[in-house]
Amino acid sequence: MGLFSFFSKEKKETLDKGLSKTKESVFGKIARAVAGKSKVDDEVLDNLEEVLITSDVGVETTLNIIKRIEARVARDKYVNTQELNNILREEIAALLTENNTVDSEDFSVPEDKKPYVIMVVGVNGVGKTTTIGKLAYQFKKAGKSVYLGAADTFRAAAVEQLVIWGERVGVPVVKQKMGADPASVAFDTLSSAVANQADVVIIDTAGRLHNKIGLMNELTKIKNVMRKVVPDAPHEVLLVLDGSTGQNAFEQAKQFTLATEVNAMAITKLDGTAKGGVVIGISDQFKIPVKYIGLGEGIEDLQVFRRREFVDSLFGPTTAK
């Protein structure tokens, strides 16, 4: 199977365009790091370490990558700076593979879970509701019937935005009055979905992070109430992070993974930012698969994350030695 056999040219172009600023930034820094050097030595590795850290890969992940490159240099005895790019992309692809990130077959859900329930978490402003709308669009496009639940009842704008997305995509949105119990909205959504034999349910939740205990209690209550309707719900707790915030996204991931059982991530707003390296660091540090990436405002610009295509767009395809 060819590398892009299930990855359309249009999607590859969107990915390349979305990561272009990160690529330009990283390549520019790497070029400066190896300027005047013919082989990868300690000075090049020190410079590369600085490049990765300033590209929002994160300190721990950077040290992990440097350690891998050091092992390669020690094994191969002599590595020239032209080979460095190949080694970097190979080691980062391997790192992503080890951290539970697998190449998914487009937008799909397990056939044996009906409805498949996704609870979406994340702070306000990260693109959470937009991600839900785009997910609903993709699932419907794949032939699935979808229900949305507006359980962020503390912000009128969140409910209104979800309703607009529901109308745009053509899927029902279950809501209640402002200030209603979010768990009650989730219960009503799942009840309607089950009654109508829906395939997928996506529940929006409040994006408050100032009180971790309160957040934990609220999310736990929503999950417990959903299980009265679908015993093993939610099947997926999807954390949405804004990639353009760089290291701030790490802190949000830390807080939400402490507050609830996050088992998938979506990283948005990667277009227009040079902070795309955050995807590598977050995947490595939290050992939670990055499932989706957002690459623009268009309804088609949410993509299933595929590690090899991501690394190829960031570093370019492997060049012959």
Side-chain angles (χ1 to χ4, degrees):
M1 181 184 285
L3 184 61
F4 301 118
S5 57
F6 59 90
F7 197 63
S8 72
K9 183 183 176 185
E10 291 79 11
K11 286 183 179 178
K12 184 66 172 67
E13 286 172 353
T14 299
L15 185 60
D16 288 346
K17 184 181 176 184
L19 295 177
S20 61
K21 286 197 176 180
T22 298
K23 181 177 181 177
E24 287 165 18
S25 173
V26 172
F27 267 124
K29 290 174 181 175
I30 290 175
R32 289 190 291 275
V34 302
K37 292 283 189 176
S38 61
K39 68 172 185 175
V40 176
D41 56 17
D42 289 344
E43 186 182 348
V44 168
L45 289 173
D46 286 344
N47 291 341
L48 180 61
E49 184 177 311
E50 186 179 335
V51 167
L52 293 173
I53 289 171
T54 57
S55 300
D56 289 281
V57 172
V59 175
E60 289 184 46
T61 301
T62 292
L63 294 176
N64 195 350
I65 292 168
I66 295 296
K67 192 188 299 180
R68 286 166 173 264
I69 294 172
E70 284 175 335
R72 289 279 290 268
V73 171
R75 189 186 71 211
D76 299 344
K77 302 303 179 195
Y78 180 89
V79 174
N80 66 46
T81 52
Q82 290 178 321
E83 293 169 18
L84 185 59
N85 195 49
N86 280 350
I87 293 171
L88 251 181
R89 68 176 304 290
E90 287 166 11
E91 294 303 332
I92 289 172
L95 196 71
L96 291 170
T97 304
E98 290 164 15
N99 294 319
N100 303 320
T101 296
V102 295
D103 291 347
S104 301
E105 290 286 345
D106 228 331
F107 292 87
S108 58
V109 294
E111 295 294 331
D112 60 338
K113 306 285 186 185
K114 187 172 178 175
Y116 185 76
V117 181
I118 304 169
M119 184 169 81
V120 183
V121 301
V123 300
N124 298 332
V126 296
K128 186 160 51 81
T129 309
T130 300
T131 298
I132 291 169
K134 291 178 180 180
L135 271 177
Y137 166 78
Q138 292 290 354
F139 287 134
K140 189 178 180 191
K141 188 177 163 186
K144 305 292 183 186
S145 56
V146 184
Y147 269 68
L148 304 181
D152 183 355
T153 59
F154 298 94
R155 290 192 312 133
V159 176
E160 289 165 10
Q161 191 183 2
L162 198 66
V163 168
I164 290 167
W165 269 106
E167 290 170 352
R168 183 179 179 187
V169 177
V171 300
V173 177
V174 177
K175 62 174 184 170
Q176 293 183 9
K177 66 181 187 300
M178 284 303 302
D181 181 0
S184 174
V185 177
F187 181 88
D188 285 355
T189 307
L190 263 67
S191 298
S192 296
V194 169
N196 290 282
Q197 297 185 307
D199 298 304
V200 183
V201 176
I202 310 175
I203 304 290
D204 192 10
T205 64
R208 298 164 302 158
L209 195 56
H210 61 274
N211 182 343
K212 194 169 74 222
I213 294 171
L215 175 71
M216 189 183 296
N217 291 342
E218 183 177 297
L219 295 177
T220 300
K221 183 181 176 185
I222 291 172
K223 287 195 283 191
N224 289 341
V225 168
M226 286 197 290
R227 283 171 184 161
K228 292 179 180 178
V229 186
V230 178
D232 55 349
H235 305 107
E236 188 173 304
V237 178
L238 179 68
L239 172 61
V240 181
L241 299 167
D242 178 349
S244 70
T245 62
Q247 293 305 298
N248 200 24
F250 275 89
E251 185 58 29
Q252 290 174 23
K254 182 180 176 183
Q255 296 300 327
F256 273 97
T257 52
L258 288 171
T260 192
E261 295 166 352
V262 175
N263 58 9
M265 294 193 191
I267 301 183
T268 65
K269 306 184 185 181
L270 290 174
D271 57 308
T273 180
K275 298 177 183 287
V278 74
V279 175
I280 300 162
I282 284 175
S283 175
D284 177 51
Q285 291 304 301
F286 295 96
K287 307 295 188 273
I288 296 169
V290 174
K291 197 166 185 180
Y292 308 107
I293 51 174
L295 298 157
E297 296 298 319
I299 200 165
E300 295 273 5
D301 291 340
L302 183 73
Q303 289 191 5
V304 170
F305 179 68
R306 296 185 176 94
R307 66 188 188 278
R308 296 191 183 281
E309 281 82 351
F310 179 85
V311 174
D312 278 350
S313 286
L314 207 53
F315 294 99
T318 303
T319 54
K321 293 188 173 119

